[in-house]
Amino acid sequence: MIKAIIFDFDGLILDTETHEYEVLCEIFAEHECELPLSIWGKLIGTKSDFSPFTYLEEQAKKALDHNELSNLQKERFSQRIAQEKTRPGVIDYLEAAKTLGLKIGLASSSNYEWVSSHLKRLNLLDRFKCIRTSDHVEFVKPDPALYLEAAKCLGVKPEECIAFEDSANGALAAKRAGMKCVTVPNTVTKDLVFCQVDHSLESMAHMELKELISFLE
């Protein structure tokens, strides 16, 4: 029996990932280079030492000012994300979960300050009974720790949870934790190779939560 739902954040609730990749692609293009999704996609939903600007230097075959590029990236990204709203169906799922008496959690590989600041802007922070981020665990996704900690915080067993993910790393973490996983990929993650999940939706707006739970059970 499903007792809780746990959301990822980046790319699932707020599509930060598409904007981040598109901004980097713009910067690469301005140096007549490309950042393949086959490389960037492996980093989505987790943390890595990969530096896009070091990679850009290698492609451009010249030294570049990393601070200048980083500031440019942040400026362009901030302008884009300030206008971004929640992905379709997210609010409906949160409201439906409350109506159904389900506990609602969040598990993100990003830090708490990043997640909470955007949730506040979207007026969603109070919707989550428990939030677990990179500040709470030693290892982030695809390690299952974030989901296990979120379930523990909610007071439910992993098998009583549905995890909603947009990334391959996130989906793997949810399944390793023993949860049902439903993927809702975005523009950037839709072509990634996912592990075996329980269901996939193009959008949360395409299937009501109650119907989805009945399908999974």
Side-chain angles (χ1 to χ4, degrees), residues 103-202:
K103 295 179 179 180
I104 306 173
L106 187 149
S108 171
S109 291
S110 296
N111 63 55
Y112 184 81
E113 181 181 359
W114 169 263
V115 173
S116 62
S117 64
H118 284 292
L119 289 176
K120 287 176 183 176
R121 178 176 70 80
L122 298 167
N123 295 316
L124 294 179
L125 185 61
D126 294 338
R127 302 281 191 126
F128 298 92
K129 178 180 175 64
C130 177
I131 295 174
R132 288 293 177 263
T133 66
S134 61
D135 298 313
H136 299 96
V137 295
E138 183 177 0
F139 301 107
V140 297
K141 304 169 188 176
D143 189 277
L146 278 165
Y147 277 112
L148 292 173
E149 286 298 315
K152 182 179 177 181
C153 176
L154 292 172
V156 295
K157 298 175 182 177
E159 58 268 27
E160 296 172 330
C161 303
I162 300 174
F164 290 94
E165 273 289 349
D166 70 290
S167 75
N169 283 312
L172 186 55
K175 294 307 296 180
R176 284 175 171 173
M179 297 182 179
K180 293 187 183 301
C181 181
V182 175
T183 56
V184 193
N186 55 53
T187 303
V188 171
T189 61
K190 63 182 177 64
D191 294 324
L192 298 181
V193 179
F194 285 81
C195 64
Q196 186 68 39
V197 297
D198 298 277
H199 196 51
S200 183
L201 296 171
E202 183 177 336

Side-chain angles (χ1 to χ4, degrees), residues 33 39-40 44 49 53 60 67 73 86 95 119 125-126 152 155-156 162 185 196 205 212:
C33 297
I39 291 177
W40 186 249
I44 296 175
D49 294 331
F53 303 128
N67 287 331
Q73 177 196 10
T86 55
E95 292 178 349
L119 289 176
L125 185 61
D126 294 338
K152 182 179 177 181
V156 295
I162 300 174
Q196 186 68 39
L212 175 63

Side-chain angles (χ1 to χ4, degrees), residues 3 6 13 25 48 89 120 153 191 201:
K3 295 182 179 179
I6 303 176
I13 292 177
C25 284
S48 168
K120 287 176 183 176
C153 176
D191 294 324
L201 296 171

